[in-house]
Amino acid sequence: MSQLKLSKETWSSQSIFILAGIGSAVGLGNLWKFPYITGEYGGSAFLLVYLFCVLLVGLPLLIAEITLGRAGQANPVQGMANLARENKASKLWSLLGLNGVLAAGFILSFYSVIAGWSGAYFVSSLQGNFISQDVATIQGDFSALLSSPWQLLFWHTAFSLLAVWIVSRGVKNGLEKAINILMPALFAILLILLGYVVASRGFEESVTFLFQPDFSKLTAEAVLVAMGHAFFTLSLGLGVMMVYGSYLNQQSSIVKASIWIAVADTAIALLAGVIIFSIVFGNNLDAASGPGLLFQTLPVAFSEMWGGWFFGTLFFGLVVLAALSSAISLIEPAVSWFEQNWGIQRNKAAWGFGFVTWVLGIGTVLSFNTWSDIYLFSDKTFFDSLDFLTANIMLPAGGFFMAIFVGWVLSKEKLKGELGLQERTLNQYRVTLRWIVPVLVMIVFIYNLI
Ligand code: PHE
């Protein structure tokens, strides 16, 4: 039997692990995607379904994924191989880890392009480009950005370089240091913005829009989107939380940490929703304007509102920081795999992987302009295809099999040792992983494909 490969790096404390988990979870998903899908699917009813998905599927899976990481004590591929061997299961389980490493690379490739938009908007806002601008100009600016491959490429490159550089420095010197700066800054900016909107005209309307359920607006599609988003926003199904879990010491509580991460992620999405919709309603803009909400709608508000230059710049700065702490977590599964299984130095692994995803990202850059008429899956551009492939296939598949592994394959003693739950709670948790999570994910998955 070959020797088990164990991970050597560890987090300095449980709280830095929680912060890193929150950093991974909170990103474009919370600040860009959540508000616009909530706007598109009618607000509160969608929100309720989403919360339900987070609680019933997201949280149990988050616990399962971190458990797999700490119990497997290695990168996702090797960790699954270690656990499969210990539990006398098929070697093929390591494919689950490989699925994650690949999906993380796919996501990173387009994530970096969209994060790049925020970088462009941060600088643009800083330069005062949104001050007293009319709607047509602002919306035209966004189209101009998307139609320029070189501009998109520039920002995509800048963002990739920054993220890879952080990861190349290691867990303690890179990830932890970045997290320690990024997360407090992010919380502070959110609170400042919240303070601003609470006193604004649109606040009440935004709270009603988000929190007063109107089920007439709920559709089957909304349920699917809500479930997909629960996966994406909690960074589930692709081994990110697994690799973070593999650096967690044995004394830390996985359940507690997971609850913190899920609650903080949800709270920040809600805060972002309240902030964005307050600005939208306060300025009589359209909440259902789709992916452009953050980039076409908000700047209109920033151009008109008091202190718009300051708050606009702060806001796009926030988006960049949040995206950065998520991007580094997308690089880590691959890097730890290259390091531990292939003996490649972290530095080289990070730059190598970063280069590959950067190249792949060019496809996304072009799908907004030169390649906008080139379709891969039916009517989907390169970017839409990657988004679809990851969010609708690879992540749910990853989550499904993780639930199956922890629920059915991992020994109960091991699970008990990792989670330290009371017998009754442990049993309930296992039932959730054995039945509820896989069945719900399967239903959504099949429905999605047809
Ligand atoms: N959770 C991140 C977000 O909401 C995205 C992400 C997905 C990060 C998967 C890592 C892994 O933006």
Side-chain angles (χ1 to χ4, degrees):
M1 197 194 284
S2 68
Q3 229 194 318
L4 295 188
K5 296 204 172 68
L6 303 180
S7 72
K8 300 174 299 277
E9 306 212 60
T10 50
W11 300 108
S12 309
S13 66
Q14 169 167 330
S15 33
I16 189 78
F17 166 73
I18 294 176
L19 222 49
I22 297 175
S24 169
V26 174
L28 295 172
N30 305 59
L31 304 175
W32 168 65
K33 203 165 175 187
F34 172 75
Y36 93 71
I37 52 182
T38 306
E40 276 185 335
Y41 292 104
S44 51
F46 173 81
L47 177 64
L48 217 62
V49 178
Y50 163 73
L51 291 178
F52 183 78
C53 292
V54 166
L55 202 68
L56 218 63
V57 179
L59 182 62
L61 266 180
L62 181 59
I63 297 173
E65 193 167 335
I66 299 174
T67 303
L68 286 174
R70 188 167 74 182
Q73 278 296 302
N75 64 79
V77 182
Q78 186 61 40
M80 287 311 300
N82 293 347
L83 289 172
R85 182 170 332 118
E86 269 173 44
N87 293 280
K88 307 206 168 40
S90 159
K91 269 190 191 160
L92 288 177
W93 279 102
S94 58
L95 289 179
L96 181 54
L98 200 60
N99 172 65
V101 169
L102 273 179
F106 288 159
I107 294 180
L108 180 66
S109 77
F110 65 76
Y111 203 81
S112 164
V113 176
I114 298 175
W117 300 353
S118 331
Y121 269 67
F122 171 71
V123 171
S124 194
S125 176
L126 190 67
Q127 291 172 330
N129 290 351
F130 300 139
I131 300 173
S132 315
Q133 255 342 327
D134 57 282
V135 178
T137 313
I138 286 175
Q139 309 215 326
D141 279 354
F142 187 61
S143 318
L145 175 68
L146 293 198
S147 61
S148 160
W150 291 111
Q151 273 199 56
L152 292 182
L153 188 65
F154 172 81
W155 289 106
H156 165 52
T157 309
F159 185 84
S160 298
L161 286 175
L162 200 58
V164 171
W165 175 71
I166 294 174
V167 176
S168 74
R169 298 174 50 87
V171 173
K172 287 207 171 74
N173 278 326
L175 272 63
E176 284 196 7
K177 277 196 182 147
I179 293 292
N180 271 327
I181 300 171
L182 296 177
M183 300 316 287
L186 195 139
F187 294 137
I189 298 178
L190 263 178
L191 289 181
I192 295 175
L193 290 169
L194 181 69
Y196 175 80
V197 300
V198 165
S200 77
R201 271 188 303 140
F203 182 68
E204 231 173 280
E205 201 178 333
S206 88
V207 171
T208 314
F209 179 70
L210 282 172
F211 300 108
Q212 213 172 69
D214 172 3
F215 285 99
S216 64
K217 288 186 186 146
L218 202 64
T219 57
E221 193 185 319
V223 178
L224 302 182
V225 173
M227 172 82 101
H229 189 63
F231 267 86
F232 186 80
T233 189
L234 287 174
S235 309
L236 294 175
L238 38 63
V240 162
M241 292 300 181
M242 225 193 259
V243 78
Y244 275 14
S246 76
Y247 303 145
L248 184 63
N249 66 29
Q250 215 56 42
Q251 295 78 45
S252 298
S253 160
I254 292 181
V255 175
K256 227 197 250 165
S258 304
I259 293 176
W260 267 105
I261 296 171
V263 168
D265 181 68
T266 309
I268 291 178
L270 291 177
L271 268 182
V274 168
I275 291 170
I276 290 169
F277 290 121
S278 297
I279 299 177
V280 166
F281 293 133
N283 294 276
N284 304 320
L285 301 168
D286 180 16
S289 57
L293 183 66
L294 209 58
F295 298 99
Q296 285 182 296
T297 309
L298 275 188
V300 173
F302 290 134
S303 87
E304 288 165 5
M305 72 195 222
W306 175 84
W309 173 80
F310 178 73
F311 290 110
T313 307
L314 214 54
F315 182 83
F316 287 109
L318 168 78
V319 181
V320 175
L321 298 186
L324 198 56
S325 62
S326 297
I328 57 181
S329 77
L330 284 163
I331 305 176
E332 193 57 27
V335 166
S336 64
W337 181 46
F338 291 151
E339 252 191 316
Q340 295 165 5
N341 287 51
W342 303 86
I344 299 172
Q345 278 173 7
R346 167 173 285 270
N347 197 13
K348 289 190 184 135
W351 289 107
F353 182 71
F355 179 71
V356 174
T357 60
W358 176 80
V359 172
L360 200 61
I362 296 175
T364 293
V365 162
L366 295 178
S367 55
F368 294 106
N369 35 70
T370 322
W371 289 0
S372 62
D373 298 328
I374 296 180
Y375 302 118
L376 295 185
F377 297 124
S378 62
D379 59 341
K380 293 187 166 58
T381 62
F382 187 88
F383 162 63
D384 291 333
S385 305
L386 275 189
D387 184 24
F388 179 82
L389 180 69
T390 50
N392 295 337
I393 298 177
M394 295 175 92
L395 302 199
F400 177 85
F401 286 108
M402 283 177 195
I404 298 289
F405 192 94
V406 178
W408 296 94
V409 182
L410 192 69
S411 72
K412 192 172 167 187
E413 294 69 52
K414 183 90 181 173
L415 187 61
K416 189 168 183 165
E418 288 296 339
L419 299 183
L421 293 171
Q422 301 267 312
E423 187 68 16
R424 220 180 111 209
T425 323
L426 186 71
N427 286 336
Q428 285 166 346
Y429 177 60
R430 287 181 92 216
V431 170
T432 310
L433 284 185
R434 286 182 160 198
W435 302 106
I436 301 181
V437 174
V439 168
L440 286 179
V441 174
M442 203 39 120
I443 293 175
V444 170
F445 187 71
I446 292 173
Y447 196 98
N448 241 335
L449 290 184
I450 53 175

